[in-house]
Amino acid sequence: MSEANNAHNVSYLEYKGQYKGLLAWIFSTDHKRIGLLYLYTMLFFFSVAAILGLLMKTQLIAPGYTIMGPQTYNSLFTLHGIIMIFVIVVPGLPAVFGNFFLPIMIGAKDVAFPKLNLLSWWFYIIGILIVLTSQFMGDGPPDTGWTFYAPYSFRTPTNVLPAVFGAFVMGFSSILTGINFVVTIHRMRAPGMTWFKMPLFPWTLYGTAWIQILATPVIGITLLLIVAERLMGIGIFDPALGGDPILYQHLFWIYSHPAVYIMILPAMGAISEIIPVFSRKTIFGYKAIVLSTLAIAFVGYFVWGHHMFTSGMSGRALYTFSFLTFLVAIPSAIKVFNWVSTMHKGSLQMQTPFYWAVSFIFVFMIGGLSGLVLGSLATNVHVHDTHFVVAHFHFIVFGGTGYAFMAALHYWFPKMFGRMYDMNWANLGWGIFFIGFNTLYLPMFYLGIMGMPRRYYDYLPDFHGGNIVSSLGAWVMVSGIVIIFANLIRSARHGEKTTEKNPWGGKTLEWQVDTPPTLENFEEIPTIEKGPYEFED
Amino acid sequence: MSEEKHHIVSYRTHAFVLLALLVLTGISVAITQLEMGPMNTLAAMIIAGIKAAIVLAWFMHLKFESRFFAFMVSAVVVVFLLVLLVTFFDYSYR
Ligand code: HEM
Ligand SMILES: [Cu+2]
């Protein structure tokens, strides 16, 4: 190997391997390049699905037909949901920042199985392509919602098969990433990095990885059963053949509730990295955060029934699930207290990643508290399947995972690209986004309580006021997104170059390696003596 | 990896395991003849569980690996059983 192309002194962006051009990316087994592959794929599909959301909100700005009819609306919310869930937030932070930073943060050269890692990305892309064929073939785009509830999913004439099968294929990607991360964390920590010296982002990736491994197969089989039901009419879910449609809901949510923790745990991990760095203080209650992460991952398996309170489960199941749901709220609240206590009396650095992190706590709290309203049996009956639910999960998923993703992106951006973004534009984008976000989703709580159902293209005139506000909010929020993305994309290509190793003053390992990192991250694997957040020397 | 010990299981043991699996398969076919209602399913599940445990222990070498792996696998099985248990809070009381 020539001096100019050495794995120790050339950045991963410039390193020349076997292939050139695009091939050097899509066939790279470097965990950093794979992380960026996921990032670009996600930014693209997020933009597509956000436009779908904007079209739906434009339709809802007035009652009746505005820009589309019911069938179009139904297929839009289905595609919007499938993309946002399966393509964006489920792979989410682990696929992008986990791939990029997990090995660096634990002092390793790569993940345990680099080829498997690349295979995960390929499964992901192939799954997406299969899902997309559903939009263009024969019988029209699917209109079931991303939940594919039985028996409608095998009664509707639309193209459900490719959508379901594509989601099934993407599941492999998720499982393989999970296996890879579990083995990496068990086997590849640098000498001296004991479990309780490991930074919190890797910890949350660990909890998440177990959920990916154990829960994803359930949705895989369930989706295949939908395929079998459609093609062969085997009668597992079809009541007309003696099947049980509620069994479908059980199986679906046995995956999909833990899946919301796949989405939120790594988000919490990223926030737990950012808050101490921008407060210049040790994280408050490191062990409490670790244990609450594991507790959430564990208890999260047993609360799925709260999606089915009105479906006709037995009374005993109802209060069991309600009780367990309240239990899982406790570890989430513990984390909020930890973050707030970390900031208390810290010297706060008012910079873009910190704005995102603090606003994360704000919207996450609103989402979490509305979850308790939904977790109580009596109130759930009132607001189930209304816009209240839509508001709830957007506050949690978009407000939680989405904000944390942006926080992480603005935090790690200089390390990943070796360039800095324009802070003023970044802050402006954040401000507009934050105002738009709340204008868009807060009225949905009100509309839901007043009784406006979800998944309809039309509504009664009484709901007009709230919908006008909400739809305008969507436009404001999207303007914010445009500013943020434009700034980041421009900066990744033309931003001010930096080789500064530690622009924010972080203590974790990724801030000790080169900017951008070399192919093998470390010239010499470090030996760890201190904990990850020791700011007071 | 070089430091890892390779435990060689004898043909004899393998043959015994195979035999055990075949006998258990025979039993699970045989009990379908008995009329036990929902207990039939339970019996089939228990037999399948035993077979899986045998495969894990001998064919997949769990018996010869460090205890830690056995612990991890058991933890997963516990999660699975708890999920079943909670599901039956619905099905047993409808
Ligand atoms: C520009 C941004 C967004 C807008 C304008 C938007 C708007 C909407 C609207 C209008 C609905 C349909 C409500 C209904 O009639 O049922 C919806 C549903 C949904 N959205 Fe979003 N959303 C956005 C971003 C997101 C993000 C980031 C996520 C995920 C992280 C997401 C996940 C979902 C899901 C899962 C559904 C439910 C689909 C269903 O079950 O019907 N959305 N969104
Ligand atoms: Cu849930």
Side-chain angles (χ1 to χ4, degrees):
Chain A
M1 213 180 280
S2 72
E3 256 313 294
N5 193 29
N6 184 300
H8 289 312
N9 54 29
V10 171
S11 97
Y12 79 102
L13 291 168
E14 282 152 15
Y15 183 81
K16 292 197 181 45
Q18 203 176 344
Y19 301 103
K20 284 203 190 70
L22 185 64
L23 296 188
W25 285 83
I26 62 176
F27 292 131
S28 169
T29 54
D30 175 10
H31 64 102
K32 300 181 283 302
R33 288 198 172 196
I34 294 176
L36 290 190
L37 286 179
Y38 276 107
L39 177 66
Y40 299 142
T41 322
M42 281 181 197
L43 289 185
F44 175 76
F45 282 102
F46 174 84
S47 309
V48 172
I51 291 171
L52 299 178
L54 200 56
L55 290 174
M56 287 189 279
K57 286 314 300 183
T58 308
Q59 159 61 26
L60 289 181
I61 202 161
Y65 186 107
T66 314
I67 57 166
M68 67 181 80
Q71 191 59 31
T72 313
Y73 186 85
N74 293 355
S75 47
L76 286 196
F77 73 65
T78 303
L79 187 61
H80 172 84
I82 295 177
I83 294 183
M84 288 297 192
I85 296 290
F86 294 112
V87 181
I88 311 295
V89 286
V90 165
L93 283 96
V96 178
F97 304 109
N99 265 324
F100 201 109
F101 288 106
L102 169 65
I104 306 183
M105 290 175 92
I106 64 172
K109 293 188 172 170
D110 206 318
V111 292
F113 307 117
K115 285 184 185 155
L116 201 63
N117 203 13
L118 180 61
L119 186 66
S120 305
W121 184 76
W122 276 100
F123 269 127
Y124 171 68
I125 290 296
I126 292 169
I128 296 177
L129 292 178
I130 297 175
V131 168
L132 289 184
T133 61
S134 71
Q135 302 299 309
F136 306 108
M137 291 190 331
D139 310 304
D143 58 352
T144 57
W146 73 282
T147 46
F148 306 114
Y149 266 19
Y152 187 65
S153 54
F154 40 86
R155 298 269 165 76
T156 170
T158 57
N159 255 326
V160 174
L161 280 183
V164 168
F165 188 68
F168 171 75
V169 173
M170 276 187 257
F172 283 101
S173 160
S174 206
I175 296 172
L176 295 183
T177 303
I179 293 176
N180 223 334
F181 283 7
V182 166
V183 179
T184 306
I185 292 173
H186 272 280
R187 289 293 172 110
M188 297 178 67
R189 279 170 290 132
M193 181 168 287
T194 55
W195 283 95
F196 285 113
K197 285 213 177 80
M198 189 160 75
L200 289 162
F201 185 57
W203 258 117
T204 53
L205 291 173
Y206 184 70
T208 308
W210 275 111
I211 308 179
Q212 288 176 304
I213 298 172
L214 296 187
T216 316
V218 181
I219 189 93
I221 297 298
T222 311
L223 294 176
L224 280 192
L225 284 174
I226 288 285
V227 172
E229 198 73 296
R230 256 186 102 86
L231 294 180
M232 299 179 275
I234 54 173
I236 286 213
F237 302 134
D238 191 346
L241 300 172
D244 178 8
I246 299 184
L247 178 63
Y248 175 82
Q249 297 187 14
H250 273 302
L251 291 172
F252 181 83
W253 290 110
I254 285 175
Y255 165 74
S256 295
H257 185 84
V260 308
Y261 292 110
I262 295 181
M263 306 166 194
I264 202 67
L265 280 177
M268 294 167 153
I271 297 300
S272 307
E273 295 296 334
I274 294 169
I275 298 268
V277 172
F278 289 83
S279 309
R280 297 285 183 269
K281 263 183 71 196
T282 311
I283 188 93
F284 180 88
Y286 169 91
K287 279 199 180 159
I289 297 190
V290 169
L291 294 178
S292 59
T293 299
L294 299 177
I296 291 178
F298 180 72
V299 184
Y301 280 107
F302 311 110
V303 301
W304 75 85
H306 61 216
H307 295 273
M308 304 162 56
F309 285 155
T310 60
S311 306
M313 286 191 302
S314 79
R316 200 166 299 210
L318 292 180
Y319 53 76
T320 310
F321 280 122
S322 183
F323 172 73
L324 291 169
T325 301
F326 276 86
L327 271 191
V328 83
I330 298 171
S332 312
I334 291 181
K335 286 197 160 53
V336 172
F337 286 122
N338 282 312
W339 295 321
V340 175
S341 316
T342 305
M343 289 187 284
H344 180 65
K345 291 194 176 163
S347 65
L348 304 181
Q349 314 289 309
M350 293 298 169
Q351 283 160 315
T352 320
F354 188 67
Y355 287 136
W356 281 106
V358 174
S359 51
F360 164 93
I361 301 180
F362 178 80
V363 285
F364 180 73
M365 289 285 291
I366 297 180
L369 292 173
S370 65
L372 295 180
V373 175
L374 291 164
S376 323
L377 293 174
T379 41
N380 180 279
V381 174
H382 186 66
V383 290
H384 174 68
D385 255 340
T386 69
H387 263 67
F388 191 91
V389 175
V390 181
H392 158 70
F393 70 70
H394 279 89
F395 263 92
I396 282 280
V397 180
F398 200 4
T401 312
Y403 278 55
F405 194 97
M406 296 314 284
L409 191 54
H410 285 91
Y411 177 56
W412 280 313
F413 186 96
K415 181 61 71 179
M416 297 167 82
F417 295 98
R419 291 176 187 272
M420 195 50 203
Y421 51 84
D422 184 314
M423 282 263 199
N424 292 328
W425 281 108
N427 292 341
L428 180 72
W430 166 80
I432 294 178
F433 176 88
F434 184 73
I435 294 169
F437 179 91
N438 288 292
T439 320
L440 164 58
Y441 295 116
L442 277 177
M444 289 189 187
F445 282 122
Y446 166 76
L447 289 168
I449 291 178
M450 299 313 286
M452 179 176 165
R454 66 189 285 214
R455 294 187 174 174
Y456 285 89
Y457 89 116
D458 192 8
Y459 50 83
L460 297 176
D462 314 36
F463 301 130
H464 196 181
N467 272 297
I468 295 180
V469 179
S470 170
S471 292
L472 292 180
W475 284 90
V476 176
M477 185 182 82
V478 169
S479 329
I481 297 181
V482 170
I483 295 177
I484 296 165
F485 281 12
N487 182 32
L488 290 179
I489 293 171
R490 196 202 62 87
S491 307
R493 304 171 64 198
H494 311 293
E496 198 188 320
K497 276 202 170 185
T498 170
T499 51
E500 163 77 57
K501 284 187 181 180
N502 194 356
W504 314 117
K507 297 285 176 185
T508 37
L509 282 179
E510 79 272 30
W511 302 116
Q512 290 166 32
V513 302
D514 286 354
T515 297
T518 56
L519 183 71
E520 297 197 337
N521 307 335
F522 301 94
E523 203 157 330
E524 207 178 302
I525 296 296
T527 304
I528 313 303
E529 275 141 23
K530 288 211 274 178
Y533 308 106
E534 291 183 12
F535 285 92
E536 303 85 356
D537 285 312
Chain B
M1 257 174 255
S2 50
E3 338 88 67
E4 277 174 22
K5 294 190 286 281
H6 279 276
H7 184 97
I8 315 276
V9 183
S10 70
Y11 281 115
R12 227 173 96 85
T13 322
H14 270 158
F16 268 121
V17 171
L18 180 65
L19 194 68
L21 291 175
L22 287 174
V23 170
L24 284 167
T25 308
I27 297 179
S28 53
V29 174
I31 56 163
T32 55
Q33 304 302 316
L34 305 176
E35 296 285 346
M36 299 190 295
M39 288 301 140
N40 273 32
T41 317
L42 187 65
M45 298 282 278
I46 290 175
I47 296 175
I50 298 173
K51 285 163 72 175
I54 293 176
V55 171
L56 280 170
W58 279 279
F59 285 170
M60 298 179 80
H61 273 215
L62 212 52
K63 199 166 158 6
F64 318 111
E65 295 282 354
S66 103
R67 283 268 158 261
F68 177 70
F69 292 105
F71 167 75
M72 292 301 243
V73 173
S74 324
V76 169
V77 174
V78 168
V79 170
F80 172 67
L81 290 177
L82 285 174
V83 165
L84 275 189
L85 178 81
V86 177
T87 311
F88 276 89
F89 274 112
D90 178 16
Y91 281 94
S92 325
Y93 298 100
R94 272 212 203 143

